[in-house]
Amino acid sequence: SQQGEEDPQALSIQEGENATMNCSYKTSINNLQWYRQNSGRGLVHLILIRSNEREKHSGRLRVTLDTSKKSSSLLITASRAADTASYFCATTPPNQGAQKLVFGQGTRLTINP
Amino acid sequence: SQTIHQWPATLVQPVGSPLSLECTVEGTSNPNLYWYRQAAGRGLQLLFYSVGIGQISSEVPQNLSASRPQDRQFILSSKKLLLSDSGFYLCAWSDRFRGDTEAFFGQGTRLTVV
């Protein structure tokens, strides 16, 4: 079953605006990761946040993690048309020797020029 | 540097035919390997993962099987394809020896069963 659930399922904003996507998960985790997928392509890793971290930045990306609420958010600031893609969160449950990555359903982000 | 190769990129197969998708990783040893399936407009469903040669864990009961005959080779197979096997199949690897590590994905295979 899916561990992470993204919200919203689809988001359409104007170029230059900020985009916020949320992810909720069900069980305890070692870390939470965000990935990006351009249409018909493989996924690309964006950022990883560990369970003992609350916030992390990478360029125009900001990720927060609230383990008490079992939720995370991904903020993309000053969006660009090239940010149009699907974004997925993935979690690694603890005590998983294979570092099993379980993905959510994703948020489809459209940046309008 | 590490690379992952997955082929073919697209495949159209008739119902009842066999399937073999191959994935190979270069530039790393003892990777964790994964097969995911993605339905159109949906998230990724973990099908199989492997921590070593011959070690396969299946996540969901289905018409598919996986094998790892070599350390950096992961194969997804079916003896008889069903219409419901259509989808986008993604292979990925991660570093087994790093506690917190990302997964690296291949470009995927779009399978259409007709």
Side-chain angles (χ1 to χ4, degrees), chain A residues 2 30-31 33 35 37 40-43 45 48 50 88 96-105 108, chain B residues 32 34 36 38 41-44 46 49 51 59 88 90 95-96 98-103 105-107:
Chain A
Q2 299 300 113
N30 280 336
N31 63 63
Q33 305 178 36
Y35 289 78
Q37 183 183 33
R41 305 296 298 274
L43 277 72
H45 180 261
L48 180 152
R50 295 180 175 83
F88 297 88
Q96 295 285 340
Q99 298 172 358
K100 187 169 71 173
L101 265 181
V102 182
F103 285 81
Q105 293 297 311
R108 187 186 304 274
Chain B
N32 295 320
Y34 310 88
Y36 289 89
Q38 185 177 32
R42 304 295 304 277
L44 276 71
L46 180 60
Y49 65 95
V51 299
E59 285 296 291
F88 191 50
L90 289 155
D95 188 331
R96 188 191 310 176
R98 286 179 56 193
D100 287 317
T101 180
E102 66 266 39
F105 283 80
Q107 289 303 301

Side-chain angles (χ1 to χ4, degrees), chain B residues 31 33 49-58 66-75 96:
Chain B
L33 294 172
Y49 65 95
S50 171
V51 299
I53 296 174
Q55 299 179 61
I56 309 296
S57 295
S58 175
S67 62
R68 186 171 177 173
Q70 301 180 47
D71 180 49
R72 291 171 288 178
Q73 183 185 29
F74 207 23
I75 298 173
R96 188 191 310 176

Side-chain angles (χ1 to χ4, degrees), chain B residues 11-85:
Chain B
L11 191 60
V12 180
Q13 292 283 102
V15 169
S17 64
L19 172 74
S20 181
L21 301 181
E22 188 164 344
C23 172
T24 60
V25 181
E26 296 178 357
T28 188
S29 297
N30 308 116
N32 295 320
L33 294 172
Y34 310 88
W35 277 111
Y36 289 89
R37 178 169 60 198
Q38 185 177 32
R42 304 295 304 277
L44 276 71
Q45 180 185 36
L46 180 60
L47 301 176
F48 301 96
Y49 65 95
S50 171
V51 299
I53 296 174
Q55 299 179 61
I56 309 296
S57 295
S58 175
E59 285 296 291
V60 292
Q62 59 207 317
N63 187 41
L64 302 169
S65 63
S67 62
R68 186 171 177 173
Q70 301 180 47
D71 180 49
R72 291 171 288 178
Q73 183 185 29
F74 207 23
I75 298 173
L76 183 69
S77 303
S78 173
K79 292 181 179 178
K80 289 185 178 181
L81 284 169
L82 306 173
L83 287 174
S84 58
D85 292 324

Side-chain angles (χ1 to χ4, degrees), chain A residues 34-51:
Chain A
W34 285 91
Y35 289 78
R36 167 196 168 118
Q37 183 183 33
N38 288 343
S39 180
R41 305 296 298 274
L43 277 72
V44 175
H45 180 261
L46 295 176
I47 196 166
L48 180 152
I49 186 165
R50 295 180 175 83
S51 59

